Amino acid sequence: MSPRPVRLGPRAAAAIALISLLGVMAFGWPLLADADAAVTSHAGDAPWLFAALLPLLVAVVVATVADSGMDAKAVAMLGVLAAVGAALRPLGAGTAGLEPMFFLMVLSGRVLGPGFGFVLGSVTMFASALLTGGVGPWMPFQMLSMAWFTMGAGLLPGSHRLRGRAELLLLAAYGFLAAFAYGAIMNLQGWPIVTGLGSGASFEPEAPVHENLLRFAVYYVTTSLGWDLGRAALTVVLTLTVGGPLLKALRRATRRASFEAQVTFEGPHRPLPGEPPHRTHVTYDVK
């Protein structure tokens, strides 16, 4: 049996690599722009990024279907988890960074694998933005960041053997660190174009890289470190308290769904005595 309910095949991996390359360019191009360039906001490039992101996400799903035989049950699971994640986000929005959807993304990525997790994270953020009215130039960047966040949980080691308390500690540690990484990446998206900052925290196009990194560290600590700390702490608490039962439920659901089971129809070589000639046998072959 495959170690993952939904395997990450070469075509899906190539599509994810292409999306990630596009995302790195979208996040980083203001840092490389000339000092006199008309870099005022991401409002101009965000629609183009969103327009490129959606077909590429569809390409990931199609490639996963082609590589692993992912069927309608896996797509249904994707829709259910995305809906639950989107519904969880408003529960803590605006309150010290408390966002329980991150906890669900960690567990889902762990159980269903990096490819499924990448699509799940992106779709969940898109659905939650529609639900909360958080649609804006930042949304494609949030979709990419959450896709990387959920995919990272699927890339953690020991997915087939590590269980129990050790696995929960691993997921809690990942959720804690990745929550800060998510916040830092999203800050990088807005930092070069934010005006009105102090001299030690603003982006300087003509300054060397190490100086701008120091300025970004000051900007991050003074603007969003406290917010990310709340998100990280809640992710750890939820993972250690209710993560075990939820992991078991997700694994039980994926086993029962048998995403990659191949259904074949074959008739008997010769009809048995008294058996109708039109009778067929159905076999389920799990890869």
Side-chain angles (χ1 to χ4, degrees), residues 148-169:
W148 288 331
F149 179 92
T150 312
M151 181 181 69
L155 293 173
L156 292 175
S159 62
H160 201 43
R161 298 178 179 176
L162 191 62
R163 293 291 185 271
R165 196 68 178 173
E167 184 179 32
L168 291 179
L169 290 174

Side-chain angles (χ1 to χ4, degrees), residues 81-93 98-105 124 128 131-132 234 238 246:
L81 290 175
V84 174
L88 286 176
R89 191 182 183 193
L91 296 180
L98 303 178
E99 296 176 290
M101 67 179 294
F102 284 78
F103 143 77
L104 179 64
M105 295 298 102
T124 302
S128 66
L131 186 63
T132 60
L234 181 63
L238 291 177
L246 188 54

Side-chain angles (χ1 to χ4, degrees), residues 168-190:
L168 291 179
L169 290 174
L170 175 65
L171 296 179
Y174 171 78
F176 184 82
L177 297 175
F180 288 104
Y182 175 87
I185 292 175
M186 285 306 300
N187 274 299
L188 182 61
Q189 171 261 331

Side-chain angles (χ1 to χ4, degrees), residues 27 97 99 102 125 141-142 144-146 148-149 174-192 216-217 219-232 235:
F27 275 101
E99 296 176 290
F102 284 78
M125 187 55 76
F141 298 95
Q142 287 181 324
L144 274 172
S145 300
M146 183 56 78
W148 288 331
F149 179 92
Y174 171 78
F176 184 82
L177 297 175
F180 288 104
Y182 175 87
I185 292 175
M186 285 306 300
N187 274 299
L188 182 61
Q189 171 261 331
W191 176 58
F216 177 69
Y219 171 77
Y220 175 70
V221 171
T222 55
T223 57
S224 69
L225 179 61
W227 184 276
D228 293 343
L229 181 60
R231 176 192 301 136
T235 301

Side-chain angles (χ1 to χ4, degrees), residues 44-130:
D45 59 332
W48 295 103
L49 176 61
F50 184 69
L53 184 61
L54 287 184
L56 288 174
L57 284 175
V58 174
V60 173
V61 175
V62 173
T64 305
V65 171
D67 287 342
S68 64
M70 190 176 78
D71 57 11
K73 292 176 289 187
V75 177
M77 175 72 82
L78 174 67
V80 170
L81 290 175
V84 174
L88 286 176
R89 191 182 183 193
L91 296 180
T95 309
L98 303 178
E99 296 176 290
M101 67 179 294
F102 284 78
F103 143 77
L104 179 64
M105 295 298 102
V106 171
L107 301 187
S108 300
R110 172 67 172 178
V111 173
L112 295 161
F116 191 99
F118 187 90
V119 178
L120 174 64
S122 183
V123 172
T124 302
M125 187 55 76
F126 176 69
S128 66
L130 296 179

